[in-house]
PDB file of all heavy atoms in Angstrom:
ATOM      1  N   TYR A   1       3.767   2.506 -29.066  1.00  0.00           N
ATOM      2  CA  TYR A   1       2.479   2.092 -28.504  1.00  0.00           C
ATOM      3  C   TYR A   1       2.747   1.168 -27.326  1.00  0.00           C
ATOM      4  O   TYR A   1       3.595   0.268 -27.394  1.00  0.00           O
ATOM      5  CB  TYR A   1       1.619   1.366 -29.540  1.00  0.00           C
ATOM      6  CG  TYR A   1       0.333   0.821 -28.958  1.00  0.00           C
ATOM      7  CD1 TYR A   1      -0.737   1.672 -28.696  1.00  0.00           C
ATOM      8  CD2 TYR A   1       0.202  -0.533 -28.638  1.00  0.00           C
ATOM      9  CE1 TYR A   1      -1.918   1.180 -28.140  1.00  0.00           C
ATOM     10  CE2 TYR A   1      -0.966  -1.023 -28.090  1.00  0.00           C
ATOM     11  CZ  TYR A   1      -2.025  -0.161 -27.837  1.00  0.00           C
ATOM     12  OH  TYR A   1      -3.178  -0.635 -27.280  1.00  0.00           O
ATOM     13  N   SER A   2       2.027   1.385 -26.222  1.00  0.00           N
ATOM     14  CA  SER A   2       2.154   0.550 -25.036  1.00  0.00           C
ATOM     15  C   SER A   2       0.772   0.154 -24.541  1.00  0.00           C
ATOM     16  O   SER A   2      -0.151   0.981 -24.532  1.00  0.00           O
ATOM     17  CB  SER A   2       2.896   1.284 -23.912  1.00  0.00           C
ATOM     18  OG  SER A   2       4.229   1.555 -24.269  1.00  0.00           O
ATOM     19  N   ASP A   3       0.655  -1.093 -24.127  1.00  0.00           N
ATOM     20  CA  ASP A   3      -0.583  -1.615 -23.548  1.00  0.00           C
ATOM     21  C   ASP A   3      -0.211  -2.237 -22.206  1.00  0.00           C
ATOM     22  O   ASP A   3       0.595  -3.175 -22.148  1.00  0.00           O
ATOM     23  CB  ASP A   3      -1.201  -2.651 -24.483  1.00  0.00           C
ATOM     24  CG  ASP A   3      -2.549  -3.164 -23.972  1.00  0.00           C
ATOM     25  OD1 ASP A   3      -3.114  -2.528 -23.060  1.00  0.00           O
ATOM     26  OD2 ASP A   3      -3.014  -4.197 -24.474  1.00  0.00           O
ATOM     27  N   ILE A   4      -0.791  -1.703 -21.111  1.00  0.00           N
ATOM     28  CA  ILE A   4      -0.403  -2.119 -19.767  1.00  0.00           C
ATOM     29  C   ILE A   4      -1.655  -2.473 -18.968  1.00  0.00           C
ATOM     30  O   ILE A   4      -2.606  -1.691 -18.912  1.00  0.00           O
ATOM     31  CB  ILE A   4       0.368  -1.004 -19.033  1.00  0.00           C
ATOM     32  CG1 ILE A   4       1.571  -0.539 -19.854  1.00  0.00           C
ATOM     33  CG2 ILE A   4       0.821  -1.471 -17.655  1.00  0.00           C
ATOM     34  CD1 ILE A   4       2.268   0.682 -19.279  1.00  0.00           C
ATOM     35  N   THR A   5      -1.636  -3.638 -18.353  1.00  0.00           N
ATOM     36  CA  THR A   5      -2.634  -4.014 -17.358  1.00  0.00           C
ATOM     37  C   THR A   5      -1.886  -4.262 -16.054  1.00  0.00           C
ATOM     38  O   THR A   5      -0.953  -5.074 -16.025  1.00  0.00           O
ATOM     39  CB  THR A   5      -3.391  -5.284 -17.770  1.00  0.00           C
ATOM     40  OG1 THR A   5      -4.080  -5.040 -18.996  1.00  0.00           O
ATOM     41  CG2 THR A   5      -4.403  -5.679 -16.702  1.00  0.00           C
ATOM     42  N   ALA A   6      -2.261  -3.552 -14.996  1.00  0.00           N
ATOM     43  CA  ALA A   6      -1.476  -3.621 -13.764  1.00  0.00           C
ATOM     44  C   ALA A   6      -2.371  -3.511 -12.548  1.00  0.00           C
ATOM     45  O   ALA A   6      -3.470  -2.948 -12.601  1.00  0.00           O
ATOM     46  CB  ALA A   6      -0.432  -2.499 -13.740  1.00  0.00           C
ATOM     47  N   GLY A   7      -1.875  -4.039 -11.440  1.00  0.00           N
ATOM     48  CA  GLY A   7      -2.569  -3.873 -10.176  1.00  0.00           C
ATOM     49  C   GLY A   7      -2.574  -2.424  -9.741  1.00  0.00           C
ATOM     50  O   GLY A   7      -1.661  -1.664 -10.039  1.00  0.00           O
ATOM     51  N   ALA A   8      -3.631  -2.030  -9.031  1.00  0.00           N
ATOM     52  CA  ALA A   8      -3.757  -0.643  -8.595  1.00  0.00           C
ATOM     53  C   ALA A   8      -4.572  -0.606  -7.309  1.00  0.00           C
ATOM     54  O   ALA A   8      -5.165  -1.603  -6.891  1.00  0.00           O
ATOM     55  CB  ALA A   8      -4.432   0.205  -9.674  1.00  0.00           C
ATOM     56  N   ALA A   9      -4.602   0.567  -6.703  1.00  0.00           N
ATOM     57  CA  ALA A   9      -5.339   0.750  -5.450  1.00  0.00           C
ATOM     58  C   ALA A   9      -4.959  -0.319  -4.437  1.00  0.00           C
ATOM     59  O   ALA A   9      -5.811  -0.974  -3.830  1.00  0.00           O
ATOM     60  CB  ALA A   9      -6.852   0.755  -5.703  1.00  0.00           C
ATOM     61  N   ASP A  10      -3.646  -0.512  -4.245  1.00  0.00           N
ATOM     62  CA  ASP A  10      -3.171  -1.569  -3.358  1.00  0.00           C
ATOM     63  C   ASP A  10      -2.745  -1.028  -1.991  1.00  0.00           C
ATOM     64  O   ASP A  10      -1.919  -1.618  -1.312  1.00  0.00           O
ATOM     65  CB  ASP A  10      -2.007  -2.325  -4.003  1.00  0.00           C
ATOM     66  CG  ASP A  10      -0.843  -1.419  -4.366  1.00  0.00           C
ATOM     67  OD1 ASP A  10      -0.856  -0.228  -3.994  1.00  0.00           O
ATOM     68  OD2 ASP A  10       0.095  -1.906  -5.023  1.00  0.00           O
ATOM     69  N   GLN A  11      -3.351   0.089  -1.570  1.00  0.00           N
ATOM     70  CA  GLN A  11      -2.982   0.665  -0.275  1.00  0.00           C
ATOM     71  C   GLN A  11      -3.397  -0.234   0.888  1.00  0.00           C
ATOM     72  O   GLN A  11      -4.277  -1.078   0.771  1.00  0.00           O
ATOM     73  CB  GLN A  11      -3.624   2.050  -0.090  1.00  0.00           C
ATOM     74  CG  GLN A  11      -3.296   3.049  -1.180  1.00  0.00           C
ATOM     75  CD  GLN A  11      -4.439   3.236  -2.129  1.00  0.00           C
ATOM     76  OE1 GLN A  11      -5.047   2.262  -2.578  1.00  0.00           O
ATOM     77  NE2 GLN A  11      -4.765   4.475  -2.436  1.00  0.00           N
ATOM     78  N   GLU A  12      -2.766   0.058   2.006  1.00  0.00           N
ATOM     79  CA  GLU A  12      -3.059  -0.658   3.244  1.00  0.00           C
ATOM     80  C   GLU A  12      -3.799   0.266   4.200  1.00  0.00           C
ATOM     81  O   GLU A  12      -3.477   1.449   4.291  1.00  0.00           O
ATOM     82  CB  GLU A  12      -1.747  -1.129   3.889  1.00  0.00           C
ATOM     83  CG  GLU A  12      -1.926  -1.816   5.220  1.00  0.00           C
ATOM     84  CD  GLU A  12      -0.588  -2.248   5.806  1.00  0.00           C
ATOM     85  OE1 GLU A  12       0.462  -1.901   5.231  1.00  0.00           O
ATOM     86  OE2 GLU A  12      -0.608  -2.927   6.852  1.00  0.00           O
ATOM     87  N   LEU A  13      -4.783  -0.251   4.893  1.00  0.00           N
ATOM     88  CA  LEU A  13      -5.510   0.507   5.905  1.00  0.00           C
ATOM     89  C   LEU A  13      -4.921   0.195   7.279  1.00  0.00           C
ATOM     90  O   LEU A  13      -4.857  -0.961   7.680  1.00  0.00           O
ATOM     91  CB  LEU A  13      -6.994   0.150   5.888  1.00  0.00           C
ATOM     92  CG  LEU A  13      -7.883   0.966   6.837  1.00  0.00           C
ATOM     93  CD1 LEU A  13      -8.051   2.386   6.325  1.00  0.00           C
ATOM     94  CD2 LEU A  13      -9.240   0.293   7.011  1.00  0.00           C
ATOM     95  N   VAL A  14      -4.455   1.246   7.979  1.00  0.00           N
ATOM     96  CA  VAL A  14      -3.957   1.074   9.349  1.00  0.00           C
ATOM     97  C   VAL A  14      -4.807   1.940  10.273  1.00  0.00           C
ATOM     98  O   VAL A  14      -5.406   2.930   9.860  1.00  0.00           O
ATOM     99  CB  VAL A  14      -2.462   1.441   9.464  1.00  0.00           C
ATOM    100  CG1 VAL A  14      -1.614   0.500   8.635  1.00  0.00           C
ATOM    101  CG2 VAL A  14      -2.210   2.890   9.055  1.00  0.00           C
ATOM    102  N   SER A  15      -4.847   1.563  11.529  1.00  0.00           N
ATOM    103  CA  SER A  15      -5.789   2.182  12.461  1.00  0.00           C
ATOM    104  C   SER A  15      -5.283   3.490  13.051  1.00  0.00           C
ATOM    105  O   SER A  15      -6.079   4.290  13.540  1.00  0.00           O
ATOM    106  CB  SER A  15      -6.110   1.207  13.596  1.00  0.00           C
ATOM    107  OG  SER A  15      -4.915   0.858  14.302  1.00  0.00           O
ATOM    108  N   SER A  16      -3.955   3.720  13.019  1.00  0.00           N
ATOM    109  CA  SER A  16      -3.398   4.867  13.724  1.00  0.00           C
ATOM    110  C   SER A  16      -2.276   5.488  12.916  1.00  0.00           C
ATOM    111  O   SER A  16      -1.527   4.785  12.218  1.00  0.00           O
ATOM    112  CB  SER A  16      -2.869   4.438  15.097  1.00  0.00           C
ATOM    113  OG  SER A  16      -2.083   5.458  15.688  1.00  0.00           O
ATOM    114  N   ALA A  17      -2.125   6.795  13.037  1.00  0.00           N
ATOM    115  CA  ALA A  17      -1.015   7.484  12.390  1.00  0.00           C
ATOM    116  C   ALA A  17       0.321   7.057  12.969  1.00  0.00           C
ATOM    117  O   ALA A  17       1.360   7.203  12.316  1.00  0.00           O
ATOM    118  CB  ALA A  17      -1.186   9.001  12.528  1.00  0.00           C
ATOM    119  N   ASP A  18       0.324   6.503  14.164  1.00  0.00           N
ATOM    120  CA  ASP A  18       1.562   6.026  14.781  1.00  0.00           C
ATOM    121  C   ASP A  18       2.146   4.827  14.038  1.00  0.00           C
ATOM    122  O   ASP A  18       3.306   4.463  14.255  1.00  0.00           O
ATOM    123  CB  ASP A  18       1.321   5.630  16.237  1.00  0.00           C
ATOM    124  CG  ASP A  18       0.923   6.820  17.101  1.00  0.00           C
ATOM    125  OD1 ASP A  18       1.304   7.956  16.749  1.00  0.00           O
ATOM    126  OD2 ASP A  18       0.222   6.620  18.114  1.00  0.00           O
ATOM    127  N   LEU A  19       1.345   4.212  13.154  1.00  0.00           N
ATOM    128  CA  LEU A  19       1.798   3.029  12.424  1.00  0.00           C
ATOM    129  C   LEU A  19       2.394   3.367  11.064  1.00  0.00           C
ATOM    130  O   LEU A  19       2.643   2.471  10.254  1.00  0.00           O
ATOM    131  CB  LEU A  19       0.626   2.061  12.234  1.00  0.00           C
ATOM    132  CG  LEU A  19      -0.029   1.538  13.512  1.00  0.00           C
ATOM    133  CD1 LEU A  19      -1.262   0.709  13.167  1.00  0.00           C
ATOM    134  CD2 LEU A  19       0.962   0.711  14.324  1.00  0.00           C
ATOM    135  N   ILE A  20       2.650   4.641  10.808  1.00  0.00           N
ATOM    136  CA  ILE A  20       3.094   5.064   9.476  1.00  0.00           C
ATOM    137  C   ILE A  20       4.377   4.367   9.049  1.00  0.00           C
ATOM    138  O   ILE A  20       4.600   4.099   7.875  1.00  0.00           O
ATOM    139  CB  ILE A  20       3.262   6.598   9.420  1.00  0.00           C
ATOM    140  CG1 ILE A  20       3.479   7.049   7.969  1.00  0.00           C
ATOM    141  CG2 ILE A  20       4.377   7.080  10.337  1.00  0.00           C
ATOM    142  CD1 ILE A  20       3.415   8.551   7.790  1.00  0.00           C
ATOM    143  N   ASP A  21       5.236   4.027  10.012  1.00  0.00           N
ATOM    144  CA  ASP A  21       6.515   3.385   9.689  1.00  0.00           C
ATOM    145  C   ASP A  21       6.582   1.930  10.144  1.00  0.00           C
ATOM    146  O   ASP A  21       7.660   1.358  10.249  1.00  0.00           O
ATOM    147  CB  ASP A  21       7.674   4.163  10.318  1.00  0.00           C
ATOM    148  CG  ASP A  21       8.354   5.084   9.319  1.00  0.00           C
ATOM    149  OD1 ASP A  21       8.160   4.871   8.112  1.00  0.00           O
ATOM    150  OD2 ASP A  21       9.067   6.010   9.739  1.00  0.00           O
ATOM    151  N   GLU A  22       5.421   1.311  10.400  1.00  0.00           N
ATOM    152  CA  GLU A  22       5.391  -0.099  10.795  1.00  0.00           C
ATOM    153  C   GLU A  22       4.928  -0.957   9.627  1.00  0.00           C
ATOM    154  O   GLU A  22       3.971  -0.619   8.931  1.00  0.00           O
ATOM    155  CB  GLU A  22       4.455  -0.312  11.988  1.00  0.00           C
ATOM    156  CG  GLU A  22       5.116  -0.100  13.328  1.00  0.00           C
ATOM    157  CD  GLU A  22       4.342  -0.778  14.462  1.00  0.00           C
ATOM    158  OE1 GLU A  22       3.882  -1.922  14.270  1.00  0.00           O
ATOM    159  OE2 GLU A  22       4.196  -0.146  15.511  1.00  0.00           O
ATOM    160  N   PHE A  23       5.614  -2.106   9.433  1.00  0.00           N
ATOM    161  CA  PHE A  23       5.274  -3.006   8.340  1.00  0.00           C
ATOM    162  C   PHE A  23       5.334  -4.449   8.834  1.00  0.00           C
ATOM    163  O   PHE A  23       6.180  -4.808   9.665  1.00  0.00           O
ATOM    164  CB  PHE A  23       6.239  -2.821   7.166  1.00  0.00           C
ATOM    165  CG  PHE A  23       6.196  -1.444   6.566  1.00  0.00           C
ATOM    166  CD1 PHE A  23       7.010  -0.429   7.058  1.00  0.00           C
ATOM    167  CD2 PHE A  23       5.324  -1.148   5.536  1.00  0.00           C
ATOM    168  CE1 PHE A  23       6.966   0.841   6.526  1.00  0.00           C
ATOM    169  CE2 PHE A  23       5.271   0.129   4.990  1.00  0.00           C
ATOM    170  CZ  PHE A  23       6.092   1.124   5.495  1.00  0.00           C
ATOM    171  N   ASP A  24       4.425  -5.257   8.305  1.00  0.00           N
ATOM    172  CA  ASP A  24       4.412  -6.698   8.597  1.00  0.00           C
ATOM    173  C   ASP A  24       4.360  -6.992  10.092  1.00  0.00           C
ATOM    174  O   ASP A  24       5.101  -7.835  10.615  1.00  0.00           O
ATOM    175  CB  ASP A  24       5.642  -7.371   7.968  1.00  0.00           C
ATOM    176  CG  ASP A  24       5.672  -7.196   6.458  1.00  0.00           C
ATOM    177  OD1 ASP A  24       4.601  -7.240   5.843  1.00  0.00           O
ATOM    178  OD2 ASP A  24       6.771  -6.995   5.914  1.00  0.00           O
ATOM    179  N   THR A  25       3.485  -6.276  10.794  1.00  0.00           N
ATOM    180  CA  THR A  25       3.250  -6.539  12.216  1.00  0.00           C
ATOM    181  C   THR A  25       1.775  -6.872  12.401  1.00  0.00           C
ATOM    182  O   THR A  25       0.968  -6.756  11.464  1.00  0.00           O
ATOM    183  CB  THR A  25       3.617  -5.322  13.072  1.00  0.00           C
ATOM    184  OG1 THR A  25       2.717  -4.236  12.769  1.00  0.00           O
ATOM    185  CG2 THR A  25       5.052  -4.871  12.817  1.00  0.00           C
ATOM    186  N   ALA A  26       1.407  -7.268  13.616  1.00  0.00           N
ATOM    187  CA  ALA A  26       0.006  -7.593  13.887  1.00  0.00           C
ATOM    188  C   ALA A  26      -0.887  -6.379  13.669  1.00  0.00           C
ATOM    189  O   ALA A  26      -2.032  -6.503  13.222  1.00  0.00           O
ATOM    190  CB  ALA A  26      -0.134  -8.111  15.319  1.00  0.00           C
TER     191      ALA A  26
END
């Protein structure tokens, strides 16, 4: 038996597909 409470739906919204590989920038 397992009982798990976890964060979810933690996606990031970016404005452009060109940012697919950019992280921690303005």
Side-chain angles (χ1 to χ4, degrees):
Y1 175 77
S2 295
D3 184 14
I4 305 172
T5 299
D10 58 8
Q11 304 104 314
E12 177 180 7
L13 185 72
V14 296
S15 60
S16 168
D18 295 334
L19 300 174
I20 190 170
D21 261 342
E22 273 200 42
F23 298 89
D24 300 323
T25 66

